[in-house]
Amino acid sequence: MAAKSDGAAAAAGPGPEGAAGGPRGGPGGREEAAAGPGGPGAAAAGGAGPRYELRDCCWVLCALLVFFSDGATDLWLAASYYLQGQPVFFGLTLLFVLLPSLVVQLLSFRWFVYDYAEPAGAPGPAVSTKDSGVGGPAVSTKDSASAFGAEEGGPELGARPSSASAYRRRCCRLCVWLLQTLVHLLQLGQVWRYLHALYLGLQSRWRGEPLRRHFYWRMLFESADVSMLRLLETFLRSAPQLVLQLSLLVQRGGEPDLLSALSTSASLVSLAWTLASYQKVLRDSRDDKRPLSYKGAVAQVLWHLFTIAARSLAFALFASVYKLYFGIFIVAHWCVMTFWVIQGETDFCMSKWEEIIYNMVVGIIYIFCWFNVKEGRSRRRMTLYYCIVLLENAVLTGFWYSSRNFSTDFYSLILVCVVASSFALGIFFMCVYYCLLHPNGPMLGPQMPGCIFRKASRPCGPPFEAVTSPPRSLPRTTVTEREGVSVGGERAGTPTPPVFQVRPGLPPTPVARPVRTEGPVIRIDLPRKKYPAWDAHFIDRRLRKTILALEYSSPTTPRLQYRSVGISQELLEYETTV
């Protein structure tokens, strides 16, 4: 049976190709149990698996602190402009706070409506889970809503609830709808998602199996949602707010206002934190990538903090003198970067129009900092990007400095030095991250692409040799050879080495663990997206609901299998000797 998802199907059953595994890493960024007597896949097959730790909770609380400090300082500064009788600055500051917040709250509420709504009368996706072992039990459900109804109303899947329980369920759903509507009207959708992810993580730590893994899956999904929403909001709100307030500080000169300095600092920290948090959750969500440690996340925060600070200050200096030309420069830079992203043929979203909108948002991010959107080694592309940024920063700062008085304006020279030193510090922390703290190992030393088991006795993935097509013909065995007569000086019956031997080729993305052959399998009729894209079950809401329903109804942790785009299974199993 299959579950359609934008023309694709998701089914559960035995199958060898495209294994994605079960939930591995979460916001904690830890490794699973190393390979032991049971093999590296033992934990995924039903062992303890990853756990939600205290540092994960602290990371979420710090993210909430950054969120509230950014919003509170911006609103406080807008009120200050209003009290000082500066309506233009008040309007711009308030606009950069409210408009991005409204966009993000609408998107968040739309996700909630889709996740929480029950189809009325319409048949949902037909899905099934089946144990891949011989004679294993099979559990099926017609749609995800029925499975979640079993989760809420009773232990048996498909059991019809009584009238009293149905009434209580309707009342609970109505209260949830009212609460979510109020939360999003108050512009607190991200806060709710942060707290919900924290609750799910703590529940996964306190509960036993199978509820532990169920809460952990939901925590992963919630963390992915809030990281995407925060990334969109920060570059629509904090980035323009940072440039605006820095421009006003440069125009005033003299001693900076304390409230403006707090607002710019909070916006800068919010941008750097959101980028590092997004990369951390993205890596932790994929079982084919090593998780990002907290040391690496802090190094990323410092890297983005100093590079964005230099970039924003260069923008502010130029915009304080050449306002019209600054607008032209920003639009031109955004168009060039968006075209660069589009020609790279990204594969992040489930539809063409969503992909175009995503590329436009990435173009906005590229105005301020580097953001990896393509699989493979990004060293050349990142070097080219930062060379362009360094040249632009130098030109923008040089034009501003040329409009100042060289002989008496020592303050201008200090600002130029701040731009240069901040950019240099950002590049330094970027090198520290790639040389010492990258999950795949040092950039200049031996790397371990994708493998998450440090104690594995052999490298991850199949052998490197590959044959792309089977042999078209085999030499016939002669009568003399069949009768055991010595041919060419060789004794009859002597084993000869294989002439043709077809081995599987290296997959596009190295697998992080050996493919499990036991337990339930959820097969998804979609090719797996390549890193740094999210897996389809993280961005497709319908597919996510189906997987959660199957995961809850399964007695053991299921593994996911995407459709293989490589060599066919018949070719992989082909091997002959002459």
Side-chain angles (χ1 to χ4, degrees):
M1 304 176 70
K4 298 288 184 181
S5 175
D6 291 339
E17 69 264 8
R24 174 191 59 80
R30 299 161 307 283
E31 300 177 14
E32 285 190 5
R51 289 181 61 85
Y52 195 80
E53 297 182 357
L54 178 60
R55 52 184 176 177
D56 306 325
C57 177
C58 295
W59 183 264
V60 176
L61 293 178
C62 290
L64 281 171
L65 179 62
V66 171
F67 173 82
F68 280 118
S69 61
D70 188 18
T73 52
D74 289 343
L75 291 176
W76 190 7
L77 184 61
S80 176
Y81 285 143
Y82 179 79
L83 295 177
Q84 293 174 8
Q86 297 177 333
V88 177
F89 298 156
F90 162 74
L92 289 175
T93 304
L94 195 61
L95 177 66
F96 289 144
V97 173
L98 294 183
L99 185 60
S101 181
L102 289 174
V103 172
V104 171
Q105 299 304 317
L106 287 175
L107 180 59
S108 176
F109 191 74
R110 179 175 176 267
W111 287 354
F112 161 75
V113 169
Y114 193 90
D115 291 340
Y116 206 69
E118 286 190 50
V127 295
S128 67
T129 75
K130 184 165 61 176
D131 200 311
S132 59
V134 179
V139 182
S140 65
T141 176
K142 287 300 181 67
D143 56 25
S144 57
S146 62
F148 287 116
E151 176 183 346
E152 297 174 4
E156 294 186 4
L157 190 64
R160 186 177 299 275
S162 63
S163 58
S165 62
Y167 176 76
R168 288 195 302 269
R169 187 161 177 254
R170 285 196 298 268
C171 291
C172 291
R173 292 184 63 85
L174 178 61
C175 293
V176 171
W177 275 95
L178 294 177
L179 176 62
Q180 288 292 327
T181 303
L182 179 62
V183 164
H184 285 83
L185 286 177
L186 296 176
Q187 309 299 301
L188 297 176
Q190 295 108 300
V191 177
W192 170 266
R193 291 185 180 274
Y194 272 128
L195 295 177
H196 192 213
L198 182 63
Y199 165 78
L200 294 173
L202 293 176
Q203 287 293 320
S204 71
R205 181 177 178 84
W206 295 334
R207 296 293 185 96
E209 294 289 348
L211 288 178
R212 186 201 64 80
R213 57 178 173 81
H214 181 69
F215 280 111
Y216 199 86
W217 277 60
R218 293 175 61 190
M219 184 270 298
L220 286 177
F221 289 139
E222 195 68 69
S223 300
D225 287 345
V226 72
S227 64
M228 295 181 205
L229 292 173
R230 283 291 291 150
L231 184 71
L232 176 63
E233 185 187 34
T234 49
F235 279 93
L236 292 180
R237 182 182 76 176
S238 301
Q241 192 78 259
L242 177 62
V243 176
L244 172 64
Q245 303 307 327
L246 284 176
S247 301
L248 296 180
L249 287 174
V250 171
Q251 282 183 345
R252 293 170 185 169
E255 292 294 330
D257 182 26
L258 177 60
L259 189 54
S260 299
L262 288 176
S263 176
T264 54
S265 301
S267 299
L268 183 60
V269 172
S270 180
L271 286 166
W273 185 280
T274 302
L275 281 168
S277 180
Y278 176 88
Q279 292 296 331
K280 179 170 177 53
V281 176
L282 174 59
R283 269 194 167 270
D284 293 342
S285 69
R286 296 190 62 108
D287 61 341
D288 59 342
K289 289 294 177 181
R290 295 177 62 87
L292 180 62
S293 65
Y294 281 102
K295 293 180 181 178
V298 172
Q300 280 204 14
V301 170
L302 297 175
W303 160 22
H304 294 302
L305 182 74
F306 287 106
T307 52
I308 295 176
R311 186 74 165 163
S312 302
L313 185 55
F315 285 166
L317 295 176
F318 186 78
S320 63
V321 180
Y322 307 100
K323 297 179 177 61
L324 177 61
Y325 292 109
F326 173 71
I328 296 174
F329 165 78
I330 290 294
V331 173
H333 185 90
W334 174 77
C335 292
V336 170
M337 289 299 165
T338 303
F339 176 76
W340 188 29
V341 175
I342 292 176
Q343 66 88 26
E345 298 180 352
T346 59
D347 183 24
F348 276 73
C349 303
M350 304 302 295
S351 66
K352 178 182 177 181
W353 293 109
E354 290 178 346
E355 195 72 30
I356 293 176
I357 296 175
Y358 173 81
N359 291 335
M360 295 171 66
V361 174
V362 173
I364 298 176
I365 298 176
Y366 271 146
I367 295 176
F368 293 90
C369 65
W370 165 256
F371 189 76
N372 188 24
V373 294
K374 192 174 182 180
E375 185 201 20
R377 292 185 177 272
S378 57
R379 192 178 308 171
R380 294 182 179 179
R381 289 180 282 117
M382 186 166 55
T383 302
L384 175 62
Y385 173 81
Y386 276 116
C387 287
I388 295 174
V389 167
L390 178 61
L391 179 62
E392 289 177 348
N393 289 352
V395 171
L396 295 176
T397 309
F399 271 110
W400 172 80
Y401 189 69
S402 63
S403 65
R404 314 292 291 184
N405 190 345
F406 298 99
S407 58
T408 60
D409 197 354
F410 184 69
Y411 172 73
S412 301
L413 183 60
I414 293 177
L415 290 179
V416 172
C417 293
V418 169
V419 173
S421 59
S422 179
F423 185 80
L425 277 174
I427 299 300
F428 168 76
F429 283 110
M430 181 191 72
C431 295
V432 169
Y433 169 73
Y434 279 102
C435 293
L436 300 177
L437 301 173
H438 195 274
N440 290 349
M443 181 177 61
L444 302 178
Q447 296 194 357
M448 301 168 289
C451 180
I452 65 171
F453 298 104
R454 296 179 180 175
K455 299 182 181 179
S457 58
R458 58 182 180 85
C460 293
F464 287 91
E465 300 88 1
V467 178
T468 57
S469 61
R472 298 185 179 181
S473 62
L474 298 176
R476 297 181 180 275
T477 305
T478 63
V479 178
T480 309
E481 292 171 342
R482 287 198 300 267
E483 292 177 353
V485 181
S486 176
V487 179
E490 295 183 0
R491 183 182 303 174
T494 303
T496 57
V499 178
F500 297 103
Q501 186 173 3
V502 181
R503 300 181 179 91
L506 188 67
T509 303
V511 294
R513 60 168 67 89
V515 179
R516 288 166 46 200
T517 58
E518 74 285 349
V521 182
I522 300 176
R523 302 186 65 184
I524 303 172
D525 191 18
L526 286 170
R528 190 176 190 184
K529 294 181 179 294
K530 300 178 181 179
Y531 182 84
W534 295 89
D535 280 322
H537 58 279
F538 276 88
I539 58 177
D540 191 319
R541 319 297 294 190
R542 188 177 184 183
L543 190 59
R544 178 191 296 192
K545 290 176 67 175
T546 304
I547 290 174
L548 281 176
L550 294 174
E551 186 273 334
Y552 183 80
S553 61
S554 173
T556 59
T557 304
R559 56 191 173 97
L560 306 180
Q561 284 186 349
Y562 283 86
R563 186 177 65 207
S564 175
V565 295
I567 308 172
S568 63
Q569 181 66 18
E570 290 79 11
L571 180 58
L572 291 179
E573 293 179 348
Y574 185 89
E575 182 174 352
T576 182
T577 60
V578 178

